[in-house]
Amino acid sequence: KCPNLEKANAAGHDMYSKSLGFIEVKSTRLPCQKITFNQIHPQDADNFLFVMYDTINGDTDIFLVPTEDIQDSSKFSLSAQHTREKEHPSCFSMRLTKKNAANLENYRIENWEVLNGKAGIR
C-alpha cells in the first residue's frame, strides 16, 4: 500500500524511506482489552509506525511518530524491557494507556495514500 516505503528488516527497524529514514513498525488487531506494543528500539529507528487493524469494522488506524517524540516522557510513557548495557535501556514497551492513546492521536495519518506521500517527500 506504500510503494515509497522499502522493506529494510534489520535490528530495530522494518522499513526505510528517503524522507522518513528507518521506521519500526508496530501493529495490533482490534478489538483488544489491553494493547501493548513490545520491542520498541528508539536507538535503531527514526520513526515509529503504529498500525491498528480493526478486525470487526475493517478500519485501520495509522500513526507515524518521530523517535524523539516517542522518547519524550511528557508525551509517551515507555517501560524498559531489556538492556544492552546495564545502565542504558535499549528496548521498551508502550501500553496504550489513556495518556499514550491521547498523545498518539496527534500523529494520526489519514490513510495509506497519505503515508505513502509522506514517505516519498524529500
Side-chain angles (χ1 to χ4, degrees), residues 28-35 53-57:
T28 190
R29 288 178 291 219
L30 303 174
C32 295
Q33 288 185 351
K34 294 182 181 181
I35 297 173
Y53 298 99
D54 187 326
T55 60
I56 293 175
N57 299 319

Side-chain angles (χ1 to χ4, degrees), residues 4-5 15-23 45-49 64 66-67 114-122:
N4 289 327
L5 289 178
M15 308 293 285
Y16 176 79
S17 92
K18 290 179 182 177
S19 63
L20 298 174
F22 293 106
I23 301 162
D46 301 303
N47 287 279
F48 287 84
L49 179 63
L64 183 66
T67 294
V114 171
L115 177 61
N116 191 55
K118 285 183 177 293
I121 297 171
R122 178 109 174 133

